Amino acid sequence: MNTLQTAKPEHGKGLWGQTLYLFRRLPSTNNWCLSNIENLNHGDIVQTTDQTDGYGRFGRPWISPKHTCVTLSVILNPDKLAGIDSTRFSQIAALAVQTILVEFDIPAVVKWPNDVLVGKAKIAGILSETHEKSGYVVLGIGLNVNIPPTTTEIMQTTLPAVSMSAIAKKKFSLLSVRDRLIARLSDHIAAAQSNSDHIALEWKRNDALAGSKLIIESNNSVMIGKYAGMDSLGRLVLIDTTGQKRCFWSGDVSILKHAGN
Ligand code: BT5
């Protein structure tokens, strides 16, 4: 039974000096937080280094071979984050991951709605879920740190997957990657609160989709068009084949043609 008592609390290591609870093993940090939200506070973080049944959007599996990934969930109370719409939390998390990767000399970019890529390969995924009764948001982050490129589970993902160690040809300390990620998450949240354009500007500077022709699947329909950026609400904007502007709140995007191809 994984209760808070079975976790190692690291006081001061969460967001804004809150507590980080480190579990030896959990099926899913997001799922655990959603089931135990009453014991958690704004800024607390739940982490495991052995996530056995992680998931992404629409219940897709999220693979994290043990002791090789940062897998954690951050608890956010939207009422305490004036100035940021909670629909933007996952974009802030993607920017925080992208920022630390660049700091580690890994040329990462963000891909709408919730991915971080290096080249065409996915290195991190973000999943934001809202606990209905409390309104708290559980912001899950999975980052591939030391996964060897030959790991079979990771070779079976639909998009190619990659890890920090595979790119940099060296291993990273999971703890220092995690601590830096939490620090940058706090920085991006503060910047988004003080400047309503922060997310859009940072996204534009690091956008994997810039200039490309796309196919988007959303709500059981498929559309092709030219990417026209992310708007100030966080929606993907597409110019369809008739020249009409279309905006999407959610969906799965594939690049048909890169800029310059
Ligand atoms: C995501 O979903 O990318 C969100 C992933 C969120 C994972 C975190 S880990 C901590 C927290 N606890 C959880 O249980 N979840 C969160 P989506 O956009 O639906 O992408 C899922 C797809 O990514 C899968 O269908 C695979 O093709 C691919 N995938 C799975 N594991 C991967 C990995 N380690 N690296 C790259 N791609 C992966």
Side-chain angles (χ1 to χ4, degrees), residues 28-30 51 53-57 60-64 71-73 114-115 122 125-127 140-142 144 147 154 157-159 161:
S28 154
T29 56
N30 262 39
Q51 180 168 263
D53 199 15
Y55 57 88
R57 294 178 302 144
R60 293 170 187 145
W62 183 258
I63 299 155
S64 32
T71 43
L72 55 79
S73 301
N114 66 335
D115 288 343
K122 180 157 162 165
I126 319 287
L127 178 67
I141 303 175
N144 302 336
I147 308 181
I154 218 73
T157 55
T158 35
L159 264 183

Side-chain angles (χ1 to χ4, degrees), residues 127-148:
L127 178 67
S128 175
E129 296 184 282
T130 302
H131 182 262
E132 247 176 65
K133 208 163 148 218
S134 64
Y136 276 33
V137 170
V138 176
L139 182 60
I141 303 175
L143 170 61
N144 302 336
V145 181
N146 291 325
I147 308 181

Side-chain angles (χ1 to χ4, degrees), residues 31-176:
N31 188 257
W32 191 89
C33 290
L34 289 170
S35 310
N36 292 276
I37 205 87
E38 63 284 358
N39 299 315
L40 296 165
N41 296 304
H42 179 58
D44 283 348
I45 293 179
V46 169
Q47 183 192 7
T48 183
T49 50
D50 186 8
Q51 180 168 263
T52 53
D53 199 15
Y55 57 88
R57 294 178 302 144
F58 314 111
R60 293 170 187 145
W62 183 258
I63 299 155
S64 32
K66 82 172 165 186
H67 307 323
T68 61
C69 299
V70 169
T71 43
L72 55 79
S73 301
V74 183
I75 306 301
L76 296 174
N77 177 356
D79 293 344
K80 292 195 175 164
L81 287 173
I84 312 179
D85 194 285
S86 60
T87 57
R88 313 304 297 275
F89 292 162
S90 57
Q91 289 164 356
I92 294 177
L95 288 172
V97 173
Q98 189 267 341
T99 303
I100 64 151
L101 290 173
V102 170
E103 288 172 0
F104 284 115
D105 284 331
I106 295 174
V109 285
V110 288
K111 175 176 171 249
W112 188 93
N114 66 335
D115 288 343
V116 184
L117 307 184
V118 178
K120 290 181 183 169
K122 180 157 162 165
I123 194 164
I126 319 287
L127 178 67
S128 175
E129 296 184 282
T130 302
H131 182 262
E132 247 176 65
K133 208 163 148 218
S134 64
Y136 276 33
V137 170
V138 176
L139 182 60
I141 303 175
L143 170 61
N144 302 336
V145 181
N146 291 325
I147 308 181
T150 48
T151 305
T152 35
E153 305 113 281
I154 218 73
M155 289 165 75
Q156 287 157 3
T157 55
T158 35
L159 264 183
V162 76
S163 68
M164 293 174 66
S165 62
I167 306 262
K169 310 276 184 280
K170 62 172 187 185
K171 284 200 171 186
F172 293 84
S173 147
L174 284 183
L175 285 187
S176 54

Side-chain angles (χ1 to χ4, degrees), residues 57 60 111-115 117 119-120 122 158-160 207-218 221-228 236-238 248 250-259 261:
R57 294 178 302 144
R60 293 170 187 145
K111 175 176 171 249
W112 188 93
N114 66 335
D115 288 343
L117 307 184
K120 290 181 183 169
K122 180 157 162 165
T158 35
L159 264 183
D207 192 343
L209 301 178
S212 52
K213 190 176 171 191
L214 302 177
I215 180 160
I216 178 163
E217 289 180 58
S218 178
S221 73
V222 174
M223 195 173 284
I224 288 178
K226 197 170 171 311
Y227 180 59
L236 179 138
V237 184
L238 191 81
F248 296 87
S250 63
D252 276 314
V253 173
S254 312
I255 297 176
L256 289 177
K257 204 172 150 198
H258 272 286
N261 282 355

